Amino acid sequence: MKKIVITVIAVFVSTVTFSQGLDLGIKAGVNFANITDASGLDNRTGFVFGAFAGVKLGDKIGIQGDLLYSQQGAEADVDKIDLNYVNIPIVLKYFITENLHIHGGPQFGFVVDDNVKDVFQNVAEAETADVSGVVGAGIDLPMGIRIDGRYNFGLSDVIKSTSSSVNVESGKNSVITLSLGYSFL
């Protein structure tokens, strides 16, 4: 019971302390995704939506974490590769002006739905996790509106071969995301 009371007090104090710079909200947008290093693939257009939480640590620096559902993958002549993730990007923001910022950081993704086994006829499957880097820019408009543009570049392969006799080309995620958000605070 004592630990719960201390935790509640700590959360309350930190919320009051950072309330001026706290940023909580929702966002949605569009992805233009592809898989690099694999031949014959085109962009797949999908959507992204979720929530964000951030804090401004001074006039010029802030940090933000998102929890996003993201449709990624690629399209081929015959079929499309669906890789749907829950992504958790954590970005450091540098404010060029009071409202305009650039940002970058790591992103951790977890596959929640894919069709890789179907597309590759059971000789390949999707990796369960993805690590990417994120760079982008954003603007904070009046009335809590947030506009964001990001490029996510994969650092890990997204498809693995399940057959030693068949070589399946793998690659990394490459995603351009444009999103619109609303901050409640």
Side-chain angles (χ1 to χ4, degrees), residues 4 17 29 34 57 68 85 87 89-90 92 99 111 113 130 150 166:
I4 294 173
T17 303
N34 207 336
L57 302 173
L68 305 170
Y85 291 89
N87 285 330
I90 301 168
L92 184 66
N99 298 325
V111 172
D113 184 35
D130 179 49
R150 290 183 176 170
V166 178

Side-chain angles (χ1 to χ4, degrees), residues 62-128:
I63 191 165
Q64 178 176 310
D66 300 353
L67 181 62
L68 305 170
Y69 177 82
S70 181
Q71 290 183 324
Q72 296 173 202
E75 290 194 15
D77 292 337
V78 181
D79 207 348
K80 69 178 175 180
I81 301 169
D82 293 328
L83 293 166
N84 301 317
Y85 291 89
V86 169
N87 285 330
I88 305 168
I90 301 168
V91 297
L92 184 66
K93 292 181 170 184
Y94 177 77
F95 286 85
I96 298 167
T97 67
E98 185 177 335
N99 298 325
L100 179 65
H101 68 271
I102 56 175
H103 57 264
Q107 174 175 280
F108 307 97
F110 306 95
V111 172
V112 292
D113 184 35
D114 72 271
N115 69 346
V116 172
K117 283 185 179 180
D118 297 334
V119 171
F120 290 97
Q121 300 166 349
N122 290 319
V123 297
E125 63 185 16
E127 293 283 359
T128 57

Side-chain angles (χ1 to χ4, degrees), residues 14-78:
S14 65
T15 302
V16 170
T17 303
F18 289 115
S19 65
Q20 292 296 337
L22 194 61
D23 195 19
L24 295 172
I26 56 174
K27 66 189 324 186
V30 62
N31 281 338
F32 303 99
N34 207 336
I35 298 174
T36 63
D37 303 327
S39 59
L41 298 178
D42 294 319
N43 282 346
R44 175 184 182 225
T45 303
F47 64 88
V48 60
F49 67 89
F52 62 87
V55 65
K56 207 165 181 184
L57 302 173
D59 291 339
K60 296 286 186 184
I61 302 293
I63 191 165
Q64 178 176 310
D66 300 353
L67 181 62
L68 305 170
Y69 177 82
S70 181
Q71 290 183 324
Q72 296 173 202
E75 290 194 15
D77 292 337
V78 181

